[in-house]
Structure formats: C-alpha cells, structure tokens
Amino acid sequence: MILIPELETYIESLRNRIDAINFHRVLVDNDDISKDLSQRSTAVDKIMLYAGIPELRVVGRDDMHQDRDMMGFMVLEKTDYSVTSDHAKWLDLFTRTQAVAKEVRDIMVTDYEAHQGNCGLMSFLEISSISIEPVKYFSSCNGWMILFQMKSDF
C-alpha cells in the first residue's frame, strides 16, 4: 500500500526537479482538487501538480496477496479563457502542460529504474499501466492527467 506521507514526499520531489511546476499538493479526490483550484490564480500559479491519494485493491489468492494502488497525477494550468479563445493559444497551453506531463512521466520511469530491488515509491510502478490523458475545463484549468498503477506485497 502506498502511504500518503510517501506520496507527499514524492510529489514534492517532482516539484523540486521540474522548474515549470510552481505549486503542488496531495488531495483526496476530484472534489478536493476542484476546491483547491478555485483558490489558485492565473497570475501566480502557472503549472500545478496534484496527486490524488491512491485507491487500493487487493488481488491474488488466499495464500498469495498483492496490493494494487490506482492513482494519478494532474499537471494543470489555471486558464484565462479570454486569452485562450484563439486556437493557437489554446494549443500552446496544452503544449506547455504536455511537456511537463512528459517530464513527470520520464522522472517516474527513471526513478523506477533506479530503485529496482530497493526501497523507493516508484520501485512499485507498473510502467505498462501509465496513461496520459488531456484534461479540459476542469475548475478553470486545463492540462494532463497521468494515470498509473503501483503494486506491492500485502
């Protein structure tokens, strides 16, 4: 099971390693993220990184269990829709946030490779589960969601 303090530490390390991210937070669900996003400013909070706490499923048989955590990171930019009414500027927003989402994914994979056989949050990452999807009009923000699964022993 991925513990919340480990997730908080990891999300902070991502922010510290990616210059474009200037805000990060771990929250419970989309409602919490929406409430938090309403307090963000287009002038101050450029690209934000959110992590939702993982959903846990136990898989396996009675004699052999494994935790499977489904989770996601959101790379979002607060959007001034009067500026993005121009199609080129709208695509620029997704280009900027896509570059950051790719950087997050690349760091996750690097951390996975660096921690094989050792401790470290990303040592449990299932690389083939990574999916990156666009996010539009989410609480006046747009960007990308990185969905993935982690596995660990019960």
Side-chain angles (χ1 to χ4, degrees):
M1 174 186 318
I2 305 304
L3 302 176
I4 294 170
E6 292 172 326
L7 181 57
E8 287 177 314
T9 299
Y10 190 74
I11 204 84
E12 182 177 5
S13 81
L14 286 173
R15 178 185 178 191
N16 292 335
R17 293 188 275 176
I18 301 173
D19 291 335
I21 297 172
N22 69 338
F23 180 83
H24 72 282
R25 185 155 288 163
V26 174
L27 294 168
V28 176
D29 60 15
N30 282 349
D31 289 338
D32 285 345
I33 294 171
S34 291
K35 288 176 192 171
D36 193 77
L37 287 171
S38 69
Q39 300 171 20
R40 303 293 129 225
S41 160
T42 56
V44 176
D45 302 305
K46 299 298 181 194
I47 295 182
M48 301 164 285
L49 178 63
Y50 284 92
I53 63 171
E55 295 180 18
L56 174 67
R57 290 191 187 141
V58 178
V59 297
R61 301 183 314 260
D62 289 342
D63 61 342
M64 188 161 42
H65 305 288
Q66 188 172 71
D67 284 348
R68 182 109 353 148
D69 294 291
M70 282 77 54
M71 52 195 304
F73 297 154
M74 294 178 85
V75 175
L76 299 172
E77 185 175 304
K78 192 79 170 184
T79 305
D80 178 354
Y81 290 106
S82 66
V83 172
T84 59
S85 61
D86 175 276
H87 183 69
K89 290 180 181 177
W90 178 242
L91 287 180
D92 286 346
L93 181 152
F94 282 96
T95 300
R96 281 190 305 278
T97 53
Q98 183 183 49
V100 174
K102 181 185 180 308
E103 198 170 351
V104 168
R105 191 259 341 249
D106 291 348
I107 289 172
M108 290 168 60
V109 171
T110 298
D111 290 347
Y112 166 79
E113 292 167 348
H115 289 103
Q116 284 304 289
N118 301 310
C119 293
L121 183 71
M122 284 299 133
S123 65
F124 302 113
L125 177 65
E126 290 184 3
I127 295 209
S128 64
S129 73
I130 298 172
S131 169
I132 303 175
E133 303 171 3
V135 174
K136 298 187 315 181
Y137 306 113
F138 182 71
S139 298
S140 299
C141 293
N142 298 279
W144 298 86
M145 177 174 281
I146 305 164
L147 300 167
F148 56 96
Q149 291 184 21
M150 310 274 275
K151 61 183 176 183
S152 61
D153 293 331
F154 187 65

